[in-house]
Amino acid sequence: MKIGPIEVWPPVVLAPMAGITNAPFRVLCREQGAGLFVCEMITTRALVERNVKTMRMIRFAESERPRSIQLYGVDPDVVGRAVRMIVEEDLADHIDLNFGCPVPKVTRRGGGSALPYKRNLLRRILRAAVANAGPLPVTIKMRKGIDDDHLTYLDAGRIAAEEGVAAVALHARTARQHYGGVADWEAIARLKETVQEIPVLGNGDIWCADDALRMVRQTGCDGVVVGRGCLGRPWLFRDLENAFNGSSERARPTLGEVAAVMFRHAEGLTGCFDAEKSAISDFRKHVGWYLKGFTVGSELRRELATADSLDGLRAGLDKLERDEPWPPNTDTPRGKSGERAKVHLPDGWLDDPWDCGVPQDAESDVSGG
């Protein structure tokens, strides 16, 4: 798969996930298998303001090539400035634009999965990004639409291709679905039929490597984007590389091997935070994902999930039964799930799909990364 000048094999992309896909986690995934590994979402306003937190979030490890940044923005001028800054300061090799985030603080400002409903505003943003990207490829990640009554993905795919975007990725759910229900892989197939000029990538309900192969067979998509399926399981990328290369071999680490990766992950996070305690606190959300399916008592799980230092975490990990084999039946959903009762939108957002005005204070409450 080619994304602009970048050749990607296997055709696998790590989905940008807030608070997850920072450098330590990306490095762990890259060590397991090849692909394209995208950092967590960065707001364009925060980037051009050189917000301290944001500048820390866009740091890459020396081993990371190509470097991929995902940007979130609502104002075409600010998006253009952010893209130009990335190019001029050599901050990344690939830029992805977020039109899929369903969280209220983003959609109520017209951003994320709400934005493609405004077709002309979407076009202005894509045009500004591509015009300022120079040799760097620009891609987009989006959802089917706001809800089943306001689907936008086919129009958005056509606009992206017309504006010079290098690839489009579709999370086959609406914003209202959030992470609930079942991903609509048929929508990925329809997008592929509609947008044939550039690669189309599918996202949603890939819990194991065989799911990825099945998605490609069923939809004709050019590649896959993996999000929640790799939570606590960076070795999924080894499985994906094997699968796309025709091998049936799958990673089945013992609990001891998982524990070693857990400690490396936590240790790596200390470089992303100002204090070890903050890094360990951030790591706590990963504990349940790493231990999913293993026989670990509730008391020890609690000890690991409340550790406040690397030494404390190591002491807990040393208590695990290191020879315990990889548990069966773990290729199941991970992370958040459930639908939303409604999608929060700016007042009057649905009145005119062709309006290209930028909502007032569009990014006022998301500056800072």
Side-chain angles (χ1 to χ4, degrees):
M1 180 176 67
K2 291 200 70 174
I3 297 179
I6 300 174
E7 294 188 4
V8 183
W9 186 264
V12 173
V13 177
L14 168 65
M17 292 179 282
I20 303 292
T21 56
N22 44 38
F25 185 69
R26 295 194 307 266
V27 167
L28 290 174
C29 293
R30 282 178 183 270
E31 290 177 353
Q32 297 296 324
L36 197 62
F37 299 84
V38 189
C39 79
E40 53 191 316
M41 185 178 80
I42 302 297
T43 69
T44 52
R45 176 183 170 190
L47 184 61
V48 299
E49 289 175 350
R50 297 186 182 276
N51 177 278
V52 174
K53 176 184 174 184
T54 299
M55 299 309 289
R56 185 169 64 239
M57 289 169 68
I58 63 170
R59 291 186 303 201
F60 290 88
E62 287 294 325
S63 61
E64 293 194 79
R65 287 292 187 278
R67 302 160 299 166
S68 297
I69 283 181
Q70 189 188 65
L71 298 179
Y72 157 82
V74 180
D75 187 322
D77 293 334
V78 179
V79 171
R81 288 167 58 196
V83 170
R84 186 165 62 251
M85 175 179 168
I86 290 171
V87 173
E88 292 177 348
E89 300 183 21
D90 189 27
L91 300 177
D93 307 301
H94 158 236
I95 297 168
D96 187 56
L97 298 179
N98 181 296
F99 299 112
C101 182
V103 302
K105 77 172 185 178
V106 169
T107 59
R108 68 163 47 102
R109 298 290 183 176
S113 53
L115 198 143
Y117 184 75
K118 300 293 191 181
R119 275 71 164 177
N120 287 334
L121 179 57
L122 174 67
R123 188 181 293 276
R124 286 180 60 204
I125 290 172
L126 297 181
R127 187 169 294 177
V130 172
N132 285 280
L136 272 59
V138 175
T139 61
I140 70 170
K141 186 168 183 282
M142 59 184 178
R143 286 184 174 239
K144 289 172 59 182
I146 293 172
D147 54 35
D148 287 338
D149 294 324
H150 301 90
L151 299 178
T152 56
Y153 69 104
L154 296 181
D155 283 349
R158 283 188 287 260
I159 291 170
E162 290 166 2
E163 293 300 329
V165 167
V168 296
L170 177 65
H171 183 166
R173 288 180 170 88
T174 63
R176 187 181 183 280
Q177 281 183 280
H178 203 60
Y179 296 97
V182 177
D184 177 14
W185 288 8
E186 285 302 313
I188 299 170
R190 289 192 291 272
L191 181 62
K192 178 59 185 175
E193 292 170 359
T194 302
V195 181
Q196 300 186 9
E197 308 95 312
I198 56 178
V200 170
L201 291 84
N203 176 218
D205 295 351
I206 295 178
W207 309 114
C208 65
D210 291 337
D211 288 337
L213 296 182
R214 186 164 53 88
M215 177 185 279
V216 171
R217 285 196 304 267
Q218 289 185 11
T219 70
C221 66
D222 301 283
V224 299
V225 180
V226 179
R228 294 174 296 152
C230 68
L231 294 175
R233 192 167 56 159
W235 37 85
L236 177 58
F237 289 92
R238 190 192 321 172
D239 290 352
L240 288 161
E241 182 165 359
N242 286 339
F244 278 104
N245 286 327
S247 170
S248 60
E249 182 181 350
R250 301 292 182 263
R252 294 293 181 263
T254 64
L255 184 53
E257 292 169 326
V258 171
V261 171
M262 291 174 70
F263 188 79
R264 283 191 57 211
H265 190 170
E267 193 174 38
L269 286 172
T270 60
C272 294
F273 293 86
D274 295 329
E276 178 180 312
K277 189 171 184 178
S278 298
I280 299 303
S281 178
D282 184 79
F283 178 73
R284 289 172 181 169
K285 60 178 174 277
H286 295 274
V287 171
W289 297 327
Y290 274 114
L291 298 181
K292 180 172 182 175
F294 284 105
T295 304
V296 179
S298 58
E299 192 170 314
L300 181 51
R301 284 178 181 268
R302 191 178 309 110
E303 178 182 343
L304 291 167
T306 57
D308 59 5
S309 68
L310 283 172
D311 286 343
L313 179 65
R314 189 197 297 272
L317 293 173
D318 285 344
K319 298 177 184 179
L320 295 171
E321 294 292 335
R322 307 189 73 81
D323 293 334
E324 184 179 337
W326 178 258
N329 304 317
T330 55
D331 296 336
T332 54
R334 293 166 175 250
K336 65 187 82 171
S337 61
E339 297 191 3
R340 294 290 174 91
K342 62 176 291 187
V343 180
H344 296 268
L345 300 169
D347 290 341
W349 188 251
L350 299 178
D351 292 348
D352 181 3
W354 304 105
D355 173 37
C356 61
V358 178
Q360 187 175 9
D361 300 325
E363 300 176 24
S364 63
D365 64 348
V366 287
S367 181

